[in-house]
Amino acid sequence: MPLVSLIIPVYNAEKYLRRCLNSAMEQTFSDMEIILVNDGSTDESLNICREYQKLDSRFRIIDKENTGVSDSRNCAIDAAQGTYLQFMDSDDWLTPDATEILVQAAQKYDCDLVIADFYRVDRAVFTEKQHIRERGLLTRQQYAEYMMKDPADFYYGVLWNKLYRRSVLEEHQIRMDTELRWCEDFLFNLGFIRHAERFTAVQVPIYYYMKRKGSLVSTDWKKANAVLLKFRLLKEYKALYQSMGLYEENELRINAFVVSIAKDGGVARPLSRHRQKLDEEDYIEDTLPPGFTRVKHEFEPVYNNDSKILILGSFPSVKSRENNFYYGHSQNRFWKLMAQLLHAPVPVTIEEKKALLLEHGIALWDVVSECDIHGSSDLSIRNVIPANINQVLRSADIELIIANGATAFKLYQKYCQEHTGREAVKCPSTSPANAVFTLERLAESWGEVIAPFLS
């Protein structure tokens, strides 16, 4: 049984989904299941979910007709097996240690609810969102008193900066209201707070929340339902404080809640002054920049059961994609280098190239299976789906993994090493852009690494 169930509803999220799922897959905490609920997506979202399920067995997919995000979350809650529940939205992403931070706090204080800071992302910059600064264990009353100061703030209202003890939800049958399309998460939290007993806050941002057009419910729906919804929210909100004997002395502050519902956390007071720029690979524009395309790796890895060395590039160049095989640019030195190291003629056809590698126990693949890329520029690669390197490692007794160049090495470390459990050796790139290394220097450098393992 996993300790954490991470729940991610998915609906037509193909543009941002890989960033989201990469951040989930790369968590430093591993004792978790990741439940993806495809809510009747009409784009490539379901196929993307299936790709990640092949990469990592912790991913579970629930595929259903489109019934809305609340029903999607309820389906996942019903299916979850973890002691704790964590939530994400498919256009956002986690810090690498998010789940670990939440779990450590929950276990340290034996908490029912952990709440954390987060980053609010505005295009290419992000700002830290803070609130509770008190450390240690909080009672329900202490937590509610903090929330009273700014109850409509996203910090308290959303699901994704929190960790929930699942047994509280099951014991009291707390679920999302599927009739609502706005503030349903805040009502869920109010129900949970009424039954939870132990709380804590961590003063570390664990989540990147991206505010973007189209990510919220329609204005028309809010206008038509706002009055009824506000009265319902106020009723539930008042009931929470009445249950703790706090309503009478705080009646004015509590009733003022209705005028401040559904802020997105952009108020100056709770925000840190420090605005930072996103890493380029995390910044996804609404449309791809000029020159960028979304590209899938279209040809298979080269290997067999006798392969001992695995050489990994980053992603095929334009010429390689046109030729439908690795290192297709005429000025790339890879095939000349292999011929020199293996004391063989330079191969010309694809079949000759495959035969040369397999005869000497060499496997060949790339780290990236799919990405956004500008032409053939390795440095432009972003929004990555990694290749399933374990496919080769399960079939062949690979003794050495070589990354062809710094970018391939960096991408392997980031996306693959955790799942293979194997380190790679970085060799200088055979690309023509690496003009500092002549063919002779490449042969000398690669030869020192590869010679002891050659068949």
Side-chain angles (χ1 to χ4, degrees):
M1 301 285 282
L3 190 61
V4 175
S5 296
L6 174 58
I7 293 171
I8 310 175
V10 177
Y11 177 70
N12 288 354
E14 62 179 4
K15 186 174 185 61
Y16 306 96
L17 187 55
R18 294 178 181 88
R19 179 179 61 188
C20 170
L21 301 187
N22 281 338
S23 76
M25 186 170 63
E26 295 162 10
Q27 287 298 295
T28 56
F29 184 86
S30 60
D31 186 12
M32 61 195 299
E33 61 177 351
I34 306 169
I35 304 177
L36 309 178
V37 188
N38 180 55
D39 188 30
S41 297
T42 57
D43 63 359
E44 286 296 306
S45 292
L46 179 58
N47 288 333
I48 293 171
C49 291
R50 288 170 175 162
E51 289 170 1
Y52 278 81
Q53 188 177 44
K54 292 178 182 177
L55 286 173
D56 192 323
S57 61
R58 294 176 300 169
F59 284 99
R60 298 172 55 193
I61 298 175
I62 299 174
D63 184 25
K64 65 179 187 63
E65 64 181 10
N66 179 238
T67 55
V69 66
S70 292
D71 186 52
S72 294
R73 287 170 175 154
N74 287 344
C75 289
I77 293 171
D78 292 341
Q81 300 177 357
T83 303
Y84 300 100
L85 299 184
Q86 184 182 1
F87 293 87
M88 287 184 73
D89 288 347
S90 56
D91 51 358
D92 300 333
W93 67 105
L94 296 165
T95 63
D97 54 358
T99 305
E100 182 177 7
I101 288 170
L102 293 171
V103 169
Q104 285 179 347
Q107 293 180 329
K108 181 177 182 179
Y109 298 107
D110 189 24
C111 283
D112 301 318
L113 179 71
V114 182
I115 190 169
D117 296 348
F118 62 91
Y119 294 119
R120 184 180 185 273
V121 180
D122 184 6
R123 291 183 62 80
V125 298
F126 62 95
T127 311
E128 183 177 345
K129 179 71 175 60
Q130 305 171 342
H131 215 284
I132 297 177
R133 299 293 90 192
E134 181 176 346
R135 301 177 186 274
L137 184 65
L138 299 173
T139 64
R140 181 191 301 121
Q141 179 170 329
Q142 288 173 314
Y143 183 85
E145 287 174 344
Y146 273 112
M147 187 171 67
M148 194 189 306
K149 298 175 183 178
D150 201 353
D153 194 284
F154 264 31
Y155 179 88
Y156 296 103
V158 298
L159 307 179
W160 34 251
N161 67 329
K162 301 175 180 67
L163 189 73
Y164 303 81
R165 190 188 297 275
R166 185 167 67 91
S167 61
V168 177
L169 297 175
E170 297 307 310
E171 181 179 352
H172 301 282
Q173 282 301 294
I174 302 168
R175 293 295 188 271
M176 308 293 297
D177 189 327
T178 58
E179 297 299 316
L180 296 180
R181 294 166 56 192
W182 184 41
C183 290
E184 72 282 356
D185 44 3
F186 186 63
L187 276 174
F188 176 89
N189 283 328
L190 288 178
F192 190 90
I193 294 166
R194 289 192 67 172
H195 299 289
E197 297 180 357
R198 299 169 68 85
F199 301 75
T200 195
V202 292
Q203 291 73 33
V204 179
I206 55 96
Y207 192 91
Y208 291 88
Y209 156 63
M210 187 174 70
K211 179 68 180 297
R212 64 183 181 88
K213 292 181 180 180
S215 62
L216 299 179
V217 70
S218 72
T219 301
D220 289 342
W221 189 93
K222 287 194 287 187
K223 286 180 178 178
N225 296 273
V227 174
L228 291 176
L229 178 58
K230 285 184 178 181
F231 277 112
R232 179 176 173 187
L233 287 171
L234 181 59
K235 178 182 177 181
E236 298 291 335
Y237 185 62
K238 286 171 60 176
L240 172 65
Y241 289 94
Q242 287 170 336
S243 70
M244 293 183 289
L246 295 174
Y247 179 71
E248 297 299 328
E249 62 182 293
N250 296 286
E251 181 175 359
L252 291 178
R253 294 179 66 187
I254 291 170
N255 288 340
F257 158 71
V258 78
V259 302
S260 60
I261 292 172
K263 293 184 294 184
D264 73 353
V267 180
R269 180 182 56 78
L271 286 171
S272 163
R273 294 180 180 179
H274 302 294
R275 289 169 60 84
Q276 303 177 60
K277 189 173 182 179
L278 285 175
D279 290 341
E280 184 175 335
E281 62 188 23
D282 286 329
Y283 178 47
I284 302 175
E285 299 175 281
D286 288 337
T287 58
L288 285 175
F292 274 83
T293 53
R294 184 77 195 170
V295 186
K296 291 184 178 180
H297 202 304
E298 297 292 346
F299 36 95
E300 295 296 317
V302 177
Y303 70 100
N304 61 21
N305 293 340
D306 297 324
S307 298
K308 300 296 182 183
I309 301 167
L310 173 59
I311 299 175
L312 295 172
S314 53
F315 191 75
S317 68
V318 171
K319 283 296 183 182
S320 295
R321 301 196 295 267
E322 290 175 355
N323 295 331
N324 203 34
F325 202 63
Y326 301 89
Y327 305 106
H329 194 293
S330 60
Q331 294 181 341
N332 194 300
R333 281 82 52 84
F334 181 81
W335 296 110
K336 292 180 179 178
L337 174 65
M338 289 297 105
Q340 185 164 329
L341 293 175
L342 302 176
H343 308 291
V346 177
V348 177
T349 68
I350 291 177
E351 291 307 314
E352 288 174 349
K353 293 172 181 177
K354 289 181 179 179
L356 175 65
L357 296 176
L358 295 178
E359 181 183 347
H360 293 86
I362 297 175
L364 187 62
W365 207 0
D366 290 319
V367 174
V368 178
S369 173
E370 185 174 347
C371 66
D372 296 337
I373 188 170
H374 188 291
S376 301
S377 172
D378 276 358
L379 296 179
S380 73
I381 290 173
R382 63 182 194 174
N383 202 12
V384 166
I385 291 182
N388 183 12
I389 306 299
N390 282 327
Q391 175 182 329
V392 173
L393 300 183
R394 285 192 295 264
S395 300
D397 186 17
I398 298 295
E399 300 175 2
L400 172 66
I401 300 175
I402 295 177
N404 185 355
T407 301
F409 182 71
K410 177 183 176 182
L411 291 169
Y412 177 83
Q413 285 187 313
K414 179 170 184 178
Y415 294 108
C416 302
Q417 185 167 317
E418 179 181 353
H419 305 288
T420 64
R422 301 280 298 276
E423 294 185 357
V425 176
K426 179 174 64 175
C427 284
S429 173
T430 60
S431 165
N434 187 21
V436 173
F437 272 81
T438 63
L439 180 60
E440 289 69 27
R441 286 190 65 193
L442 287 172
E444 180 181 356
S445 181
W446 279 69
E448 292 176 356
V449 174
I450 205 171
F453 299 90
L454 287 176
S455 300

